[in-house]
PDB file of all heavy atoms in Angstrom:
ATOM      1  N   PHE A   1      -9.032 -11.044  14.475  1.00 92.00           N
ATOM      2  CA  PHE A   1      -9.631  -9.708  14.508  1.00 92.00           C
ATOM      3  C   PHE A   1      -9.213  -8.898  13.289  1.00 92.00           C
ATOM      4  O   PHE A   1     -10.030  -8.224  12.660  1.00 92.00           O
ATOM      5  CB  PHE A   1      -9.214  -8.995  15.797  1.00 92.00           C
ATOM      6  CG  PHE A   1      -9.778  -7.614  15.960  1.00 92.00           C
ATOM      7  CD1 PHE A   1     -11.108  -7.432  16.308  1.00 92.00           C
ATOM      8  CD2 PHE A   1      -8.978  -6.500  15.763  1.00 92.00           C
ATOM      9  CE1 PHE A   1     -11.637  -6.154  16.460  1.00 92.00           C
ATOM     10  CE2 PHE A   1      -9.495  -5.221  15.910  1.00 92.00           C
ATOM     11  CZ  PHE A   1     -10.828  -5.046  16.261  1.00 92.00           C
ATOM     12  N   TRP A   2      -7.943  -8.978  12.912  1.00 91.00           N
ATOM     13  CA  TRP A   2      -7.438  -8.228  11.761  1.00 91.00           C
ATOM     14  C   TRP A   2      -8.131  -8.639  10.464  1.00 91.00           C
ATOM     15  O   TRP A   2      -8.328  -7.800   9.568  1.00 91.00           O
ATOM     16  CB  TRP A   2      -5.935  -8.455  11.611  1.00 91.00           C
ATOM     17  CG  TRP A   2      -5.109  -7.712  12.625  1.00 91.00           C
ATOM     18  CD1 TRP A   2      -5.517  -6.697  13.436  1.00 91.00           C
ATOM     19  CD2 TRP A   2      -3.729  -7.935  12.916  1.00 91.00           C
ATOM     20  NE1 TRP A   2      -4.482  -6.264  14.230  1.00 91.00           N
ATOM     21  CE2 TRP A   2      -3.365  -7.002  13.942  1.00 91.00           C
ATOM     22  CE3 TRP A   2      -2.766  -8.802  12.451  1.00 91.00           C
ATOM     23  CZ2 TRP A   2      -2.082  -6.928  14.475  1.00 91.00           C
ATOM     24  CZ3 TRP A   2      -1.489  -8.740  12.972  1.00 91.00           C
ATOM     25  CH2 TRP A   2      -1.153  -7.812  13.980  1.00 91.00           C
ATOM     26  N   LYS A   3      -8.493  -9.899  10.356  1.00 91.00           N
ATOM     27  CA  LYS A   3      -9.102 -10.397   9.127  1.00 91.00           C
ATOM     28  C   LYS A   3     -10.485  -9.814   8.853  1.00 91.00           C
ATOM     29  O   LYS A   3     -11.015  -9.934   7.754  1.00 91.00           O
ATOM     30  CB  LYS A   3      -9.185 -11.924   9.167  1.00 91.00           C
ATOM     31  CG  LYS A   3      -7.828 -12.612   9.138  1.00 91.00           C
ATOM     32  CD  LYS A   3      -7.969 -14.111   9.355  1.00 91.00           C
ATOM     33  CE  LYS A   3      -6.599 -14.774   9.459  1.00 91.00           C
ATOM     34  NZ  LYS A   3      -6.706 -16.229   9.765  1.00 91.00           N
ATOM     35  N   LYS A   4     -11.072  -9.157   9.851  1.00 92.00           N
ATOM     36  CA  LYS A   4     -12.415  -8.582   9.691  1.00 92.00           C
ATOM     37  C   LYS A   4     -12.395  -7.262   8.936  1.00 92.00           C
ATOM     38  O   LYS A   4     -13.439  -6.777   8.500  1.00 92.00           O
ATOM     39  CB  LYS A   4     -13.054  -8.354  11.058  1.00 92.00           C
ATOM     40  CG  LYS A   4     -13.275  -9.615  11.879  1.00 92.00           C
ATOM     41  CD  LYS A   4     -13.859  -9.271  13.234  1.00 92.00           C
ATOM     42  CE  LYS A   4     -14.046 -10.510  14.092  1.00 92.00           C
ATOM     43  NZ  LYS A   4     -14.590 -10.176  15.444  1.00 92.00           N
ATOM     44  N   PHE A   5     -11.204  -6.674   8.773  1.00 93.00           N
ATOM     45  CA  PHE A   5     -11.119  -5.333   8.213  1.00 93.00           C
ATOM     46  C   PHE A   5     -10.356  -5.331   6.894  1.00 93.00           C
ATOM     47  O   PHE A   5      -9.440  -6.133   6.686  1.00 93.00           O
ATOM     48  CB  PHE A   5     -10.430  -4.395   9.217  1.00 93.00           C
ATOM     49  CG  PHE A   5     -11.132  -4.345  10.552  1.00 93.00           C
ATOM     50  CD1 PHE A   5     -10.732  -5.178  11.589  1.00 93.00           C
ATOM     51  CD2 PHE A   5     -12.202  -3.491  10.743  1.00 93.00           C
ATOM     52  CE1 PHE A   5     -11.380  -5.152  12.805  1.00 93.00           C
ATOM     53  CE2 PHE A   5     -12.866  -3.452  11.959  1.00 93.00           C
ATOM     54  CZ  PHE A   5     -12.456  -4.287  12.999  1.00 93.00           C
ATOM     55  N   PRO A   6     -10.725  -4.421   5.990  1.00 95.00           N
ATOM     56  CA  PRO A   6     -10.070  -4.384   4.672  1.00 95.00           C
ATOM     57  C   PRO A   6      -8.637  -3.887   4.751  1.00 95.00           C
ATOM     58  O   PRO A   6      -8.276  -3.075   5.602  1.00 95.00           O
ATOM     59  CB  PRO A   6     -10.944  -3.400   3.883  1.00 95.00           C
ATOM     60  CG  PRO A   6     -11.588  -2.544   4.913  1.00 95.00           C
ATOM     61  CD  PRO A   6     -11.812  -3.431   6.111  1.00 95.00           C
ATOM     62  N   ASN A   7      -7.833  -4.388   3.832  1.00 95.00           N
ATOM     63  CA  ASN A   7      -6.438  -3.974   3.692  1.00 95.00           C
ATOM     64  C   ASN A   7      -6.258  -3.258   2.364  1.00 95.00           C
ATOM     65  O   ASN A   7      -6.824  -3.667   1.342  1.00 95.00           O
ATOM     66  CB  ASN A   7      -5.507  -5.190   3.715  1.00 95.00           C
ATOM     67  CG  ASN A   7      -5.533  -5.930   5.033  1.00 95.00           C
ATOM     68  OD1 ASN A   7      -4.756  -5.654   5.930  1.00 95.00           O
ATOM     69  ND2 ASN A   7      -6.446  -6.891   5.153  1.00 95.00           N
ATOM     70  N   ARG A   8      -5.460  -2.207   2.363  1.00 94.00           N
ATOM     71  CA  ARG A   8      -5.090  -1.588   1.095  1.00 94.00           C
ATOM     72  C   ARG A   8      -4.273  -2.600   0.304  1.00 94.00           C
ATOM     73  O   ARG A   8      -3.450  -3.313   0.862  1.00 94.00           O
ATOM     74  CB  ARG A   8      -4.284  -0.317   1.354  1.00 94.00           C
ATOM     75  CG  ARG A   8      -3.938   0.431   0.076  1.00 94.00           C
ATOM     76  CD  ARG A   8      -2.865   1.473   0.311  1.00 94.00           C
ATOM     77  NE  ARG A   8      -3.425   2.757   0.695  1.00 94.00           N
ATOM     78  CZ  ARG A   8      -3.167   3.365   1.838  1.00 94.00           C
ATOM     79  NH1 ARG A   8      -2.383   2.785   2.731  1.00 94.00           N
ATOM     80  NH2 ARG A   8      -3.686   4.542   2.105  1.00 94.00           N
ATOM     81  N   PHE A   9      -4.481  -2.656  -1.006  1.00 95.00           N
ATOM     82  CA  PHE A   9      -3.828  -3.679  -1.828  1.00 95.00           C
ATOM     83  C   PHE A   9      -2.314  -3.566  -1.795  1.00 95.00           C
ATOM     84  O   PHE A   9      -1.601  -4.524  -2.082  1.00 95.00           O
ATOM     85  CB  PHE A   9      -4.333  -3.602  -3.268  1.00 95.00           C
ATOM     86  CG  PHE A   9      -3.765  -2.466  -4.065  1.00 95.00           C
ATOM     87  CD1 PHE A   9      -2.751  -2.678  -4.985  1.00 95.00           C
ATOM     88  CD2 PHE A   9      -4.244  -1.166  -3.895  1.00 95.00           C
ATOM     89  CE1 PHE A   9      -2.225  -1.635  -5.728  1.00 95.00           C
ATOM     90  CE2 PHE A   9      -3.727  -0.119  -4.633  1.00 95.00           C
ATOM     91  CZ  PHE A   9      -2.713  -0.343  -5.549  1.00 95.00           C
ATOM     92  N   VAL A  10      -1.794  -2.387  -1.431  1.00 95.00           N
ATOM     93  CA  VAL A  10      -0.351  -2.202  -1.334  1.00 95.00           C
ATOM     94  C   VAL A  10      -0.071  -1.284  -0.150  1.00 95.00           C
ATOM     95  O   VAL A  10      -0.826  -0.351   0.128  1.00 95.00           O
ATOM     96  CB  VAL A  10       0.225  -1.595  -2.635  1.00 95.00           C
ATOM     97  CG1 VAL A  10      -0.415  -0.250  -2.945  1.00 95.00           C
ATOM     98  CG2 VAL A  10       1.741  -1.439  -2.542  1.00 95.00           C
ATOM     99  N   HIS A  11       1.024  -1.551   0.556  1.00 94.00           N
ATOM    100  CA  HIS A  11       1.463  -0.659   1.610  1.00 94.00           C
ATOM    101  C   HIS A  11       2.304   0.440   0.960  1.00 94.00           C
ATOM    102  O   HIS A  11       3.457   0.219   0.593  1.00 94.00           O
ATOM    103  CB  HIS A  11       2.298  -1.410   2.657  1.00 94.00           C
ATOM    104  CG  HIS A  11       1.537  -2.452   3.400  1.00 94.00           C
ATOM    105  ND1 HIS A  11       1.416  -3.750   2.943  1.00 94.00           N
ATOM    106  CD2 HIS A  11       0.844  -2.397   4.568  1.00 94.00           C
ATOM    107  CE1 HIS A  11       0.692  -4.456   3.802  1.00 94.00           C
ATOM    108  NE2 HIS A  11       0.331  -3.662   4.791  1.00 94.00           N
ATOM    109  N   GLY A  12       1.734   1.596   0.788  1.00 93.00           N
ATOM    110  CA  GLY A  12       2.437   2.671   0.127  1.00 93.00           C
ATOM    111  C   GLY A  12       1.636   3.957   0.179  1.00 93.00           C
ATOM    112  O   GLY A  12       0.455   3.962   0.536  1.00 93.00           O
ATOM    113  N   ARG A  13       2.292   5.051  -0.192  1.00 90.00           N
ATOM    114  CA  ARG A  13       1.595   6.343  -0.202  1.00 90.00           C
ATOM    115  C   ARG A  13       2.314   7.293  -1.153  1.00 90.00           C
ATOM    116  O   ARG A  13       3.509   7.172  -1.412  1.00 90.00           O
ATOM    117  CB  ARG A  13       1.548   6.950   1.199  1.00 90.00           C
ATOM    118  CG  ARG A  13       2.908   7.190   1.834  1.00 90.00           C
ATOM    119  CD  ARG A  13       2.787   7.677   3.276  1.00 90.00           C
ATOM    120  NE  ARG A  13       4.088   7.825   3.904  1.00 90.00           N
ATOM    121  CZ  ARG A  13       4.852   8.908   3.806  1.00 90.00           C
ATOM    122  NH1 ARG A  13       4.426   9.938   3.104  1.00 90.00           N
ATOM    123  NH2 ARG A  13       6.015   8.973   4.410  1.00 90.00           N
ATOM    124  N   MET A  14       1.542   8.227  -1.685  1.00 93.00           N
ATOM    125  CA  MET A  14       2.061   9.282  -2.563  1.00 93.00           C
ATOM    126  C   MET A  14       2.873   8.691  -3.712  1.00 93.00           C
ATOM    127  O   MET A  14       4.015   9.086  -3.978  1.00 93.00           O
ATOM    128  CB  MET A  14       2.889  10.292  -1.747  1.00 93.00           C
ATOM    129  CG  MET A  14       2.112  10.960  -0.629  1.00 93.00           C
ATOM    130  SD  MET A  14       3.087  12.125   0.349  1.00 93.00           S
ATOM    131  CE  MET A  14       3.289  13.463  -0.822  1.00 93.00           C
ATOM    132  N   ASN A  15       2.282   7.725  -4.403  1.00 94.00           N
ATOM    133  CA  ASN A  15       2.928   7.078  -5.548  1.00 94.00           C
ATOM    134  C   ASN A  15       2.173   7.383  -6.831  1.00 94.00           C
ATOM    135  O   ASN A  15       0.984   7.703  -6.809  1.00 94.00           O
ATOM    136  CB  ASN A  15       2.984   5.560  -5.349  1.00 94.00           C
ATOM    137  CG  ASN A  15       3.858   5.156  -4.181  1.00 94.00           C
ATOM    138  OD1 ASN A  15       4.987   5.611  -4.058  1.00 94.00           O
ATOM    139  ND2 ASN A  15       3.353   4.293  -3.313  1.00 94.00           N
ATOM    140  N   GLN A  16       2.850   7.223  -7.946  1.00 94.00           N
ATOM    141  CA  GLN A  16       2.228   7.380  -9.254  1.00 94.00           C
ATOM    142  C   GLN A  16       2.748   6.300 -10.193  1.00 94.00           C
ATOM    143  O   GLN A  16       3.943   6.190 -10.426  1.00 94.00           O
ATOM    144  CB  GLN A  16       2.538   8.766  -9.831  1.00 94.00           C
ATOM    145  CG  GLN A  16       1.911   9.023 -11.195  1.00 94.00           C
ATOM    146  CD  GLN A  16       2.236  10.407 -11.735  1.00 94.00           C
ATOM    147  OE1 GLN A  16       2.641  11.289 -10.999  1.00 94.00           O
ATOM    148  NE2 GLN A  16       2.065  10.599 -13.033  1.00 94.00           N
ATOM    149  N   ASN A  17       1.835   5.488 -10.674  1.00 95.00           N
ATOM    150  CA  ASN A  17       2.169   4.436 -11.639  1.00 95.00           C
ATOM    151  C   ASN A  17       3.219   3.476 -11.080  1.00 95.00           C
ATOM    152  O   ASN A  17       4.341   3.373 -11.579  1.00 95.00           O
ATOM    153  CB  ASN A  17       2.664   5.045 -12.949  1.00 95.00           C
ATOM    154  CG  ASN A  17       2.849   4.002 -14.036  1.00 95.00           C
ATOM    155  OD1 ASN A  17       2.142   2.988 -14.064  1.00 95.00           O
ATOM    156  ND2 ASN A  17       3.803   4.221 -14.927  1.00 95.00           N
ATOM    157  N   ILE A  18       2.846   2.766 -10.025  1.00 95.00           N
ATOM    158  CA  ILE A  18       3.789   1.815  -9.414  1.00 95.00           C
ATOM    159  C   ILE A  18       3.122   0.457  -9.229  1.00 95.00           C
ATOM    160  O   ILE A  18       1.900   0.345  -9.132  1.00 95.00           O
ATOM    161  CB  ILE A  18       4.315   2.329  -8.050  1.00 95.00           C
ATOM    162  CG1 ILE A  18       3.197   2.348  -6.975  1.00 95.00           C
ATOM    163  CG2 ILE A  18       4.941   3.683  -8.186  1.00 95.00           C
ATOM    164  CD1 ILE A  18       3.192   1.193  -6.040  1.00 95.00           C
ATOM    165  N   THR A  19       3.933  -0.576  -9.187  1.00 95.00           N
ATOM    166  CA  THR A  19       3.518  -1.891  -8.702  1.00 95.00           C
ATOM    167  C   THR A  19       4.607  -2.370  -7.754  1.00 95.00           C
ATOM    168  O   THR A  19       5.794  -2.134  -7.984  1.00 95.00           O
ATOM    169  CB  THR A  19       3.344  -2.917  -9.843  1.00 95.00           C
ATOM    170  OG1 THR A  19       4.568  -3.030 -10.573  1.00 95.00           O
ATOM    171  CG2 THR A  19       2.219  -2.526 -10.779  1.00 95.00           C
ATOM    172  N   GLY A  20       4.215  -3.015  -6.696  1.00 96.00           N
ATOM    173  CA  GLY A  20       5.194  -3.489  -5.726  1.00 96.00           C
ATOM    174  C   GLY A  20       4.616  -3.515  -4.337  1.00 96.00           C
ATOM    175  O   GLY A  20       3.396  -3.583  -4.154  1.00 96.00           O
ATOM    176  N   GLU A  21       5.472  -3.451  -3.342  1.00 97.00           N
ATOM    177  CA  GLU A  21       5.048  -3.497  -1.947  1.00 97.00           C
ATOM    178  C   GLU A  21       6.004  -2.668  -1.099  1.00 97.00           C
ATOM    179  O   GLU A  21       7.225  -2.697  -1.312  1.00 97.00           O
ATOM    180  CB  GLU A  21       5.027  -4.954  -1.463  1.00 97.00           C
ATOM    181  CG  GLU A  21       4.454  -5.145  -0.071  1.00 97.00           C
ATOM    182  CD  GLU A  21       3.046  -4.605   0.078  1.00 97.00           C
ATOM    183  OE1 GLU A  21       2.915  -3.385   0.342  1.00 97.00           O
ATOM    184  OE2 GLU A  21       2.082  -5.369  -0.064  1.00 97.00           O
ATOM    185  N   TYR A  22       5.430  -1.928  -0.151  1.00 96.00           N
ATOM    186  CA  TYR A  22       6.190  -0.990   0.683  1.00 96.00           C
ATOM    187  C   TYR A  22       6.939   0.022  -0.197  1.00 96.00           C
ATOM    188  O   TYR A  22       8.155   0.197  -0.107  1.00 96.00           O
ATOM    189  CB  TYR A  22       7.171  -1.726   1.597  1.00 96.00           C
ATOM    190  CG  TYR A  22       6.521  -2.702   2.551  1.00 96.00           C
ATOM    191  CD1 TYR A  22       6.835  -4.057   2.523  1.00 96.00           C
ATOM    192  CD2 TYR A  22       5.589  -2.274   3.488  1.00 96.00           C
ATOM    193  CE1 TYR A  22       6.235  -4.955   3.393  1.00 96.00           C
ATOM    194  CE2 TYR A  22       4.977  -3.166   4.364  1.00 96.00           C
ATOM    195  CZ  TYR A  22       5.299  -4.511   4.310  1.00 96.00           C
ATOM    196  OH  TYR A  22       4.699  -5.399   5.171  1.00 96.00           O
ATOM    197  N   VAL A  23       6.186   0.653  -1.081  1.00 96.00           N
ATOM    198  CA  VAL A  23       6.740   1.659  -1.979  1.00 96.00           C
ATOM    199  C   VAL A  23       6.138   3.015  -1.617  1.00 96.00           C
ATOM    200  O   VAL A  23       4.916   3.141  -1.499  1.00 96.00           O
ATOM    201  CB  VAL A  23       6.429   1.329  -3.452  1.00 96.00           C
ATOM    202  CG1 VAL A  23       7.034   2.378  -4.384  1.00 96.00           C
ATOM    203  CG2 VAL A  23       6.942  -0.058  -3.808  1.00 96.00           C
ATOM    204  N   VAL A  24       6.988   4.030  -1.428  1.00 95.00           N
ATOM    205  CA  VAL A  24       6.493   5.358  -1.060  1.00 95.00           C
ATOM    206  C   VAL A  24       7.168   6.436  -1.903  1.00 95.00           C
ATOM    207  O   VAL A  24       8.305   6.275  -2.356  1.00 95.00           O
ATOM    208  CB  VAL A  24       6.721   5.664   0.444  1.00 95.00           C
ATOM    209  CG1 VAL A  24       5.961   4.685   1.313  1.00 95.00           C
ATOM    210  CG2 VAL A  24       8.205   5.633   0.793  1.00 95.00           C
ATOM    211  N   LEU A  25       6.414   7.513  -2.153  1.00 95.00           N
ATOM    212  CA  LEU A  25       6.948   8.700  -2.820  1.00 95.00           C
ATOM    213  C   LEU A  25       7.645   8.356  -4.133  1.00 95.00           C
ATOM    214  O   LEU A  25       8.704   8.909  -4.471  1.00 95.00           O
ATOM    215  CB  LEU A  25       7.926   9.439  -1.896  1.00 95.00           C
ATOM    216  CG  LEU A  25       7.340   9.971  -0.576  1.00 95.00           C
ATOM    217  CD1 LEU A  25       8.454  10.351   0.384  1.00 95.00           C
ATOM    218  CD2 LEU A  25       6.444  11.163  -0.836  1.00 95.00           C
ATOM    219  N   SER A  26       7.069   7.445  -4.905  1.00 96.00           N
ATOM    220  CA  SER A  26       7.744   6.940  -6.103  1.00 96.00           C
ATOM    221  C   SER A  26       6.894   7.135  -7.355  1.00 96.00           C
ATOM    222  O   SER A  26       5.668   7.298  -7.284  1.00 96.00           O
ATOM    223  CB  SER A  26       8.096   5.464  -5.923  1.00 96.00           C
ATOM    224  OG  SER A  26       9.011   5.295  -4.851  1.00 96.00           O
ATOM    225  N   LYS A  27       7.571   7.100  -8.491  1.00 97.00           N
ATOM    226  CA  LYS A  27       6.910   7.311  -9.776  1.00 97.00           C
ATOM    227  C   LYS A  27       7.496   6.362 -10.819  1.00 97.00           C
ATOM    228  O   LYS A  27       8.706   6.193 -10.910  1.00 97.00           O
ATOM    229  CB  LYS A  27       7.110   8.767 -10.223  1.00 97.00           C
ATOM    230  CG  LYS A  27       6.486   9.119 -11.558  1.00 97.00           C
ATOM    231  CD  LYS A  27       6.763  10.574 -11.904  1.00 97.00           C
ATOM    232  CE  LYS A  27       6.181  10.957 -13.253  1.00 97.00           C
ATOM    233  NZ  LYS A  27       6.483  12.362 -13.606  1.00 97.00           N
ATOM    234  N   ASN A  28       6.611   5.724 -11.574  1.00 97.00           N
ATOM    235  CA  ASN A  28       7.032   4.796 -12.626  1.00 97.00           C
ATOM    236  C   ASN A  28       7.969   3.722 -12.074  1.00 97.00           C
ATOM    237  O   ASN A  28       9.088   3.513 -12.567  1.00 97.00           O
ATOM    238  CB  ASN A  28       7.723   5.545 -13.772  1.00 97.00           C
ATOM    239  CG  ASN A  28       6.815   6.579 -14.409  1.00 97.00           C
ATOM    240  OD1 ASN A  28       5.595   6.432 -14.422  1.00 97.00           O
ATOM    241  ND2 ASN A  28       7.412   7.639 -14.941  1.00 97.00           N
ATOM    242  N   ALA A  29       7.517   3.062 -11.032  1.00 96.00           N
ATOM    243  CA  ALA A  29       8.300   1.990 -10.400  1.00 96.00           C
ATOM    244  C   ALA A  29       7.562   0.673 -10.602  1.00 96.00           C
ATOM    245  O   ALA A  29       6.407   0.524 -10.186  1.00 96.00           O
ATOM    246  CB  ALA A  29       8.496   2.275  -8.916  1.00 96.00           C
TER     247      ALA A  29
END
């Protein structure tokens, strides 16, 4: 069932210029 719906490419929020996973409230990470 989960496979039917889109996933955000990263689990995160309120970030700026980041790459990674489970990153929040971060900048230049």
Side-chain angles (χ1 to χ4, degrees):
F1 181 75
W2 285 346
K3 293 173 185 176
K4 298 178 182 179
F5 303 94
N7 296 269
R8 184 194 271 120
F9 76 102
V10 59
H11 296 88
R13 59 185 176 85
M14 301 179 71
N15 295 311
Q16 181 180 342
N17 187 30
I18 68 99
T19 57
E21 186 57 275
Y22 300 120
V23 181
V24 298
L25 299 165
S26 297
K27 179 181 179 182
N28 300 331

